[in-house]
């Protein structure tokens, strides 16, 4: 069992940076691969980034490559999403998720646990 709580969302200007955090419970955190997804109003939830349990392998959606970075600190039971060069189209509720096994996951069906989401709004 793992519980996830996102934080760090807010209102920022285009071109600004923001770091999201996802605090996870339990000593099993390091055994889970982690992912970030986002969902805009009227849209389906979409994949953003994922990281293996070891933190050694990451993968990103094309629309965030070069701008976003996923990382994790297993000692702190926390996964991060560093977002740079934010655009208005990045506006969405961002969710972190965990999956058992430690390998990469790219769809919502592959994840076992979800946080409540944090709102990111990019607007002038």
């Amino acid at each position: 069992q793992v519980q996830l709580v996102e934080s760090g969302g807010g209102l920022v200007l285009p071109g600004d940076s923001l770091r999201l955090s996802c605090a996870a419970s339990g000593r099993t955190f390091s055994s889970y691969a982690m992912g970030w997804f986002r969902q805009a109003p009227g849209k389906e939830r979409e994949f953003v980034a994922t990281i293996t349990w070891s933190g050694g392998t990451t993968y990103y959606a094309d629309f965030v490559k070069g701008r976003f970075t996923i990382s994790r600190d297993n000692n702190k039971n926390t996964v991060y999403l560093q977002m740079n060069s934010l655009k208005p189209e990045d506006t969405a509720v961002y969710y972190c998720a965990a999956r058992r096994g430690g390998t990469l996951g790219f769809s919502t069906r592959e994840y076992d646990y979800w946080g409540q989401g944090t709102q990111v709004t990019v607007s002038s």
Side-chain angles (χ1 to χ4, degrees):
Q1 298 287 336
V2 60
Q3 296 177 343
L4 308 173
V5 180
E6 303 97 332
S7 63
L11 175 63
V12 297
L13 297 171
D16 282 356
S17 297
L18 199 63
R19 188 179 76 164
L20 305 183
S21 298
C22 177
S25 67
R27 61 185 179 274
T28 61
F29 174 73
S30 62
S31 298
Y32 289 79
M34 302 295 297
W36 284 97
F37 293 77
R38 70 186 189 186
Q39 187 167 22
K43 304 294 184 180
E44 295 186 355
R45 194 167 300 183
E46 63 180 351
F47 168 78
V48 175
T50 184
I51 185 169
T52 57
W53 69 269
S54 67
T57 304
T58 59
Y59 192 84
Y60 300 90
D62 288 341
F63 56 83
V64 302
K65 286 182 178 178
R67 299 191 299 124
F68 291 8
T69 302
I70 187 172
S71 62
R72 67 190 298 163
D73 186 338
N74 290 342
N75 292 327
K76 292 182 169 60
N77 290 336
T78 303
V79 63
Y80 305 95
L81 185 67
Q82 178 66 46
M83 304 183 294
N84 299 326
S85 302
L86 284 164
K87 307 173 181 179
E89 51 263 44
D90 294 319
T91 296
V93 176
Y94 283 72
Y95 300 88
C96 71
R99 67 187 301 265
R100 296 186 294 268
T103 56
L104 299 178
F106 306 100
S107 69
T108 59
R109 295 176 297 177
E110 297 177 81
Y111 287 82
D112 301 290
Y113 305 100
W114 293 85
Q116 84 289 347
T118 185
Q119 177 71 48
V120 172
T121 302
V122 185
S123 177
S124 60

